[in-house]
Amino acid sequence: MAPRPLKAVLTVAAAAAFSLTAVPAQAADPDPSVWTELLATYGATGMYAYEPYAVADGFAPTPCVSGTGYRYVNQENVGQTDPEKPAALLYEDGPYGRRLTAVEWVVKAGSGADAPTMFGQTFQAPVDLPDLGSSYTLRAWIYKTNPSGLFSPTHPDVTCSAAAEPDADPDLMSDLDLDL
């Protein structure tokens, strides 16, 4: 092979290799190594892409809030800073049911304790959460790219439908008429 075409082939191959190792681009991204740390979270929460599994495992839905969606809270995980045990899963309405968009860790605020940190991020200032009270939160938008950043408290494209109500029925198939 002539030197010039060989150089072009090697350049394209190198560019392809680098593109395969790139992480999703988001505004104000933290150090790329955080994606390695989030692998445990993916592994522990991936099955909850099917929303009824979350309900079956103790995640209780709350009403939709624009910018965050539906928060499904597992009370047993509140206060944990274990990457594999987020306290909440965030969903939005999709064409085929609820779609998992993010995970959230929740630590109750109180007695002057400092905000915890995970993944090199300090939890957001305390907010009042239904049934939880004043709490520090950290969200990771690992299932839906957030133009505001991986750990942004809200997502500009997550909205609620006018008739949004929490759905605690884990059997979404019960309403389908499958008589063919």
Side-chain angles (χ1 to χ4, degrees):
M1 188 176 255
R4 189 168 206 175
L6 178 60
K7 187 176 181 181
V9 168
L10 291 175
T11 302
V12 170
F18 284 122
S19 70
L20 292 174
T21 61
V23 295
Q26 298 189 29
D29 265 349
D31 186 315
S33 67
V34 78
W35 287 100
T36 304
E37 295 176 49
L38 284 167
L39 284 176
T41 306
Y42 274 111
T45 61
M47 70 181 196
Y48 300 128
Y50 182 61
E51 178 262 351
Y53 287 158
V55 174
D57 276 356
F59 287 89
T62 63
C64 188
V65 175
S66 195
T68 58
Y70 297 91
R71 177 185 283 117
Y72 284 55
V73 178
N74 185 329
Q75 292 288 341
E76 291 179 15
N77 294 349
V78 172
Q80 304 238 9
T81 55
D82 181 344
E84 296 183 25
K85 295 184 179 182
L89 305 170
L90 302 179
Y91 290 86
E92 69 178 346
D93 288 321
Y96 304 106
R98 301 250 165 95
R99 178 178 172 252
L100 183 60
T101 58
V103 295
E104 178 180 47
W105 291 268
V106 177
V107 175
K108 291 183 181 180
S111 64
D114 290 338
T117 60
M118 283 181 71
F119 310 114
Q121 303 291 311
T122 302
F123 280 48
Q124 283 88 28
V127 294
D128 281 327
L129 298 175
D131 300 327
L132 296 174
S134 181
S135 302
Y136 295 106
T137 61
L138 179 67
R139 293 187 187 110
W141 298 92
I142 60 176
Y143 293 100
K144 180 175 182 160
T145 301
N146 187 341
S148 300
L150 175 63
F151 294 106
S152 176
T154 59
H155 194 300
D157 299 330
V158 174
T159 59
C160 300
S161 65
E165 290 293 325
D167 184 1
D169 181 9
D171 187 8
L172 296 178
M173 302 299 283
S174 64
D175 295 333
L176 297 178
D177 181 11
L178 297 177
D179 293 332
L180 301 174

